[in-house]
Amino acid sequence: MRRKRRVKVVATLGPASSATEMIERLFLAGVDVFRINMSHSSHDTARALQNSIRWVGKRHRHPIGILADLQGPKFRVGEFAGGRVFVNDGAIFRFERTEQPGNSESVFLPHPQIFAAVEPGHTLLLDDGKLRMRVIEKKQGSIAAEVLVGGALSSRKGISLPDTLLPIGPLTEKDRADLSYILKLGIDWIALSFVQRGEDVEEVRKVVGDRAAILAKIEKPSAIADLDAIVAAADGLMVARGDLGVEMPVERVPGLQKQITRKARAAGKPVVVATQMLESMISSPVPTRAEVSDVATAVFDGADAVMLSAESAVGQFPIEAIQMMDRIAIEVEADPGYDSIIHATQTAPQPTGADAIATAAHAIADTVKLSAIVCYTATGSTALRVTRERPNLPIMGLTPVESTARRLSLVWGLHSVMTGDPATLTDMVTKACRIAFDEGFVPPHGGLLITAGVPFGSPGATNMIRIAFVDENGAPSTEIR
């Protein structure tokens, strides 16, 4: 199924969208990748969702990506007597290592890592930033903090530390169990939550290997500080604006979104913009104008994908939310200023053969006014380098590897098709012309640019560029080498 847009749509599955019939409807409405949130999904649920998505993909002969989002390290306060207290502005509040019911002056904090790393002057945020405190004293078994912004605080609410680099690994015991299970299922992308540094991604890579691609979620100040290393280590990035907006001033988030998007694009790695994109559509059939502008901004910035969370997982209008996201993207990409805006920031190609081929492909296709670019790719690398250039025409990724086709479903502008390994260069050109013609990417007498970055059947195919024109039956009529 060919989409009419280049940006991709990611949708989170949940109670409102877990039935196979609903997953199929969401796919037909525009979903390219489905997200399974392991914070709220059991292993049995993950397996059932994976089976449904794969069934839909086979039914429609289209590679659909699956993104499993690991919960990551979560820190929570202990229990309060009565379940809830009120903490006053200006009060001194203590976090204790001793386990006992809390009150309006103190609470049990069951995380020795926090006691080891926090220092006076550090900020503590509770209940998604609704309460704000500043550490004034740290002892062996107690942390004293001044309440800057008070309010009601309930048992087991989350606590975050934006100023503190915590001595923790990227995977909890739950994450390790979840990761082991979903890798056996054959999930395509793993989203790594609360990444602090590039070493976190490298550590997870040792577990994952090449069985899945790793998407690093940028949601902590420490991740911003080590962003270049994270970009280098990960296969893709997510701008997780919810937690990022809790741990950093919200007014900084738009600029950081653009910064992360630019760096990911420069590296040729997909970037997903997420959280509250059409939040009002959880309970409304139409979004606010501000939400529409928010989605449009991500599309104008050249993000690879935009993501829905609660809108599709628990919302009342999941289909309408997907359709709205689809329409916004189509409208933005048809805007007369879209191409100039998306290419306003030019990134110099890296000194590699793959980048040289990708840059040449973009320039040739634009100059000759071809209909599409066709990339033969086994690992996805060639297609990623071509999409990095954000060419002004469709891109097809032809691959004999099903896992590659599914992973590329997250990538901007790329339409993946499964095909057999061509035996010769002639076979490669013939296959590309036939598939592009059948999929509606090239009209009769239209032209294609065909490229391959790895050997397909013949060593001569390596780093190959060909231009081919098709006849009225989709067969190559002319080939330019």
Side-chain angles (χ1 to χ4, degrees):
M1 174 180 290
R2 181 182 176 182
R3 303 296 189 197
K4 296 180 180 179
R5 52 177 158 75
R6 286 172 275 187
V7 72
K8 301 300 180 70
V9 173
V10 182
T12 304
L13 296 177
S17 52
S18 58
T20 302
E21 296 78 10
M22 178 58 78
I23 291 173
E24 183 175 27
R25 290 180 63 196
L26 290 171
F27 165 72
L28 294 173
V31 175
D32 301 290
V33 177
F34 287 100
R35 171 178 174 252
I36 301 174
N37 188 351
M38 298 308 296
S39 296
H40 307 295
S41 301
S42 67
H43 290 179
D44 287 344
T45 298
R47 184 181 69 251
L49 293 174
Q50 189 255 9
N51 288 339
S52 294
I53 296 166
R54 296 296 184 233
W55 180 85
V56 172
K58 289 179 180 179
R59 177 181 172 89
H60 294 276
R61 297 181 180 179
H62 188 89
I64 303 174
I66 302 178
L67 168 67
D69 197 332
L70 300 178
Q71 177 175 286
K74 286 278 191 178
F75 298 103
R76 300 183 184 278
V77 300
E79 302 285 341
F80 288 101
R84 186 172 180 267
V85 298
F86 192 89
V87 181
N88 292 312
D89 292 1
I92 304 301
F93 192 84
R94 295 186 179 276
F95 300 88
E96 307 286 356
R97 290 290 304 274
T98 303
E99 185 170 4
Q100 58 185 7
N103 53 43
S104 61
E105 297 179 350
S106 67
V107 70
F108 171 56
L109 185 61
H111 303 292
Q113 305 95 326
I114 294 178
F115 287 88
V118 76
E119 296 293 342
H122 285 191
T123 299
L124 305 177
L125 303 173
L126 294 97
D127 193 9
D128 291 332
K130 295 182 178 68
L131 285 78
R132 180 181 294 266
M133 303 181 187
R134 183 177 60 240
V135 176
I136 58 175
E137 182 184 51
K138 182 182 80 168
K139 296 181 179 178
Q140 185 173 358
S142 177
I143 297 169
E146 179 186 2
V147 180
L148 304 178
V149 179
L153 183 60
S154 303
S155 300
R156 304 291 301 159
K157 286 297 183 181
I159 179 171
S160 56
L161 300 88
D163 306 326
T164 310
L165 184 62
L166 294 166
I168 56 173
L171 299 175
T172 65
E173 288 304 312
K174 170 180 166 53
D175 293 331
R176 291 185 183 278
D178 289 344
L179 181 58
S180 176
Y181 187 79
I182 60 182
L183 287 174
K184 293 176 184 176
L185 288 179
I187 298 298
D188 308 300
W189 284 87
I190 305 296
L192 190 58
S193 298
F194 302 109
V195 173
Q196 296 191 94
R197 58 213 145 203
E199 290 93 329
D200 291 343
V201 182
E202 293 169 357
E203 182 178 332
V204 176
R205 178 81 64 194
K206 295 175 184 177
V207 179
V208 174
D210 61 359
R211 291 179 288 174
I214 299 175
L215 194 75
K217 295 169 66 176
I218 308 302
E219 49 195 334
K220 294 186 70 65
S222 53
I224 298 296
D226 203 31
L227 185 58
D228 288 342
I230 294 172
V231 171
D235 298 303
L237 291 93
M238 180 188 291
V239 189
R241 303 180 305 178
D243 283 293
L244 189 61
V246 169
E247 299 217 3
M248 302 189 75
V250 292
E251 63 270 20
R252 290 195 59 195
V253 173
L256 291 172
Q257 175 178 317
K258 290 182 179 294
Q259 177 186 339
I260 297 164
T261 301
R262 285 195 300 267
K263 286 183 178 290
R265 283 185 56 187
K269 298 183 177 182
V271 56
V272 181
V273 177
T275 317
Q276 296 179 330
M277 301 214 78
L278 297 176
E279 183 85 353
S280 67
M281 291 194 75
I282 295 173
S283 57
S284 170
V286 294
T288 67
R289 278 56 172 175
E291 289 168 339
V292 173
S293 294
D294 182 35
V295 175
T297 295
V299 179
F300 273 122
D301 286 343
D304 289 78
V306 287
M307 191 178 97
L308 296 173
S309 298
E311 300 96 326
S312 58
V314 297
Q316 299 177 35
F317 304 96
I319 299 295
E320 291 83 353
I322 298 300
Q323 292 171 335
M324 177 57 65
M325 193 78 90
D326 184 69
R327 292 201 301 271
I328 294 168
I330 291 172
E331 187 68 25
V332 170
E333 292 176 5
D335 187 278
Y338 174 73
D339 286 336
S340 61
I341 292 172
I342 203 171
H343 293 114
T345 302
Q346 292 292 336
T347 303
Q350 298 174 5
T352 65
D355 267 42
I357 293 295
T359 303
H362 184 191
I364 293 169
D366 194 44
T367 300
V368 183
K369 304 302 180 186
L370 301 174
S371 298
I373 296 175
V374 177
C375 304
Y376 278 94
T377 183
T379 64
S381 176
T382 300
L384 284 169
R385 302 321 291 174
V386 171
T387 60
R388 173 184 181 270
E389 299 293 319
R390 297 297 191 260
N392 303 323
L393 67 168
I395 311 165
M396 295 186 68
L398 307 186
T399 180
V401 183
E402 187 174 5
S403 60
T404 296
R406 293 197 300 253
R407 290 181 194 180
L408 292 176
S409 62
L410 189 67
V411 178
W412 182 96
L414 196 60
H415 178 82
S416 295
V417 177
M418 289 289 300
T419 183
D421 197 348
T424 65
L425 288 176
T426 300
D427 186 30
M428 180 180 289
V429 173
T430 301
K431 277 180 175 287
C433 290
R434 168 54 57 192
I435 294 172
F437 185 82
D438 290 344
E439 295 277 335
F441 282 87
V442 59
H445 312 296
L448 296 173
L449 187 143
I450 305 163
T451 182
V454 295
F456 276 84
S458 167
T462 305
N463 293 335
M464 178 205 78
I465 289 182
R466 295 286 189 275
I467 297 174
F469 291 86
V470 303
D471 62 19
E472 60 276 4
N473 298 312
S477 59
T478 307
E479 181 183 345
I480 304 173
R481 302 190 179 189

